Amino acid sequence: MSHPPSKASFFVHVLRGAPFCPFFQIGLGLAALTTGLDFTVYNLLTRRPPGWGRVAANVVSCTVAMSFSFTVNGRWVFHPAGSAGVVGQAMKFVLVT
């Protein structure tokens, strides 16, 4: 007796045939890298030493991860156009992130 496919395998099957699949995979890869960077920096800061407080470590790790995400997404994913400049792009990024 055959089992029905799981939701995850169905999702992967649908994405393999999608025309945007490479872009989706790049986006997922960058999201995973950003999350991993945030997690790593936070854990390094909260260990003893340096033993930072949770809030301070979270602010620093989030800032590092968001800076990484802004830089990498700007270069690899969005290819910014127009004359907004880096400050304008950063403000938009922070607003939607």
Side-chain angles (χ1 to χ4, degrees):
M1 176 176 227
S2 172
H3 295 287
S6 69
K7 289 180 183 178
S9 66
F10 174 75
F11 185 67
V12 169
H13 175 72
V14 168
L15 284 178
R16 282 190 182 148
F20 61 88
C21 191
F23 300 110
F24 186 74
Q25 290 172 346
I26 290 170
L28 277 180
L30 292 178
L33 283 173
T34 302
T35 302
L37 180 63
D38 187 11
F39 180 78
T40 301
V41 170
Y42 177 82
N43 280 301
L44 289 173
L45 292 176
T46 54
R47 304 264 184 230
R48 304 225 186 263
W52 288 30
R54 291 180 181 169
V55 173
N58 191 30
V59 168
V60 170
S61 69
C62 185
T63 301
V64 168
M66 285 180 68
S67 298
F68 171 78
S69 179
F70 174 75
T71 303
V72 172
N73 279 308
R75 291 177 191 262
W76 288 353
V77 178
F78 296 114
H79 307 291
S83 59
V86 175
V87 174
Q89 293 170 9
M91 290 174 65
K92 290 177 186 177
F93 179 81
V94 169
L95 284 174
V96 298
T97 301

